[in-house]
Amino acid sequence: MLVVIVGPMFAGKTTELIRRVERHVIAGRRAIVFKPSLDVRYDASKVAAHNGLKFDAFVIPPDKDGVEIIRKMGAEYDVVAVDEIQFFPVDLADALNQLANGRIVIAAGLNLDFREEPFETTARAMAFADRVISLSAVCKICGKPATRTQRLINGVPAPRHSPRILIGGNESYEARCRRHYVIPP
């Protein structure tokens, strides 16, 4: 079974991934959690949510070698979880789909970048998923459900030509609803 958890930043994707993994561990299943090496925001060796919740993780490079590590190591476990899947190459979606034959796979990631464009790896994983859990955050402007991630530079929306990947938290990003999301110029 492949479960993919998606949404904007601050929606609780990592919290949900940890919650699901913990339930399987309580049930006696052997689980492994992977995280990309470039995400060191809150903890270099654990998946960590914005709310402070953490879980031990195997740190791997977000490249083809990392995908192969997930494929090989994941085959030895009952439950395989991968956080921040948008940072990995699209091959990860195929690996997760294959691992889901005979085990439980849980993946979490952003579905849209700050430009409101889909992340290819997340979109492909969603297409293979047995279940997609789409979470929303709270709009920083109005408090309504937020489905977009707004990148800010000095308090104003980042221009479209900014790098697609910028690791950060509330110093660089806000959750926004459709009404308050500003399309980068």
Side-chain angles (χ1 to χ4, degrees):
M1 171 176 233
L2 174 56
V3 176
V4 179
I5 305 161
V6 299
M9 287 189 64
F10 312 111
K13 297 177 302 297
T14 301
T15 300
E16 180 65 14
L17 179 139
I18 292 170
R19 185 188 76 80
R20 287 174 173 272
V21 170
E22 285 179 333
R23 291 177 58 88
H24 289 295
V25 170
I26 290 167
R29 295 184 183 99
R30 293 179 346 111
I32 187 167
V33 178
F34 296 96
K35 74 173 275 180
S37 58
L38 55 83
D39 184 8
V40 295
R41 287 174 293 180
Y42 304 113
D43 195 301
S45 64
K46 298 179 181 194
V47 290
H50 297 291
N51 66 5
L53 189 62
K54 296 180 182 182
F55 196 92
D56 288 332
F58 194 84
V59 181
I60 57 172
D63 56 20
K64 289 188 182 285
D65 291 337
V67 171
E68 279 309 305
I69 292 168
I70 292 169
R71 191 185 310 268
K72 288 178 182 171
M73 288 183 69
E76 303 300 318
Y77 289 84
D78 304 314
V79 179
V80 178
V82 184
D83 199 23
E84 304 291 359
I85 64 172
Q86 74 276 358
F87 294 141
F88 289 91
V90 75
D91 302 7
L92 175 64
D94 298 294
L96 298 177
N97 187 44
Q98 291 167 357
L99 284 168
N101 295 321
R103 66 195 45 81
I104 297 161
V105 178
I106 305 163
L110 294 170
N111 50 344
L112 300 173
D113 65 15
F114 79 100
R115 300 172 187 144
E116 203 178 33
E117 295 175 3
F119 277 105
E120 297 80 7
T121 302
T122 309
R124 188 164 174 86
M126 289 169 66
F128 287 133
D130 297 290
R131 181 157 186 228
V132 175
I133 299 167
S134 185
L135 301 176
S136 61
V138 176
C139 180
K140 189 76 172 181
I141 305 297
C142 69
K144 291 184 178 175
T147 57
R148 305 292 187 269
T149 301
Q150 187 77 63
R151 182 184 294 164
L152 302 172
I153 298 175
N154 298 322
V156 297
R160 180 171 282 285
H161 68 274
S162 299
R164 188 176 198 196
I165 303 298
L166 172 73
I167 306 298
N170 58 12
E171 77 287 348
S172 303
Y173 294 98
E174 287 183 352
R176 300 270 182 101
C177 66
R178 279 183 181 272
R179 181 172 170 231
H180 291 109
Y181 170 77
V182 178
I183 298 171

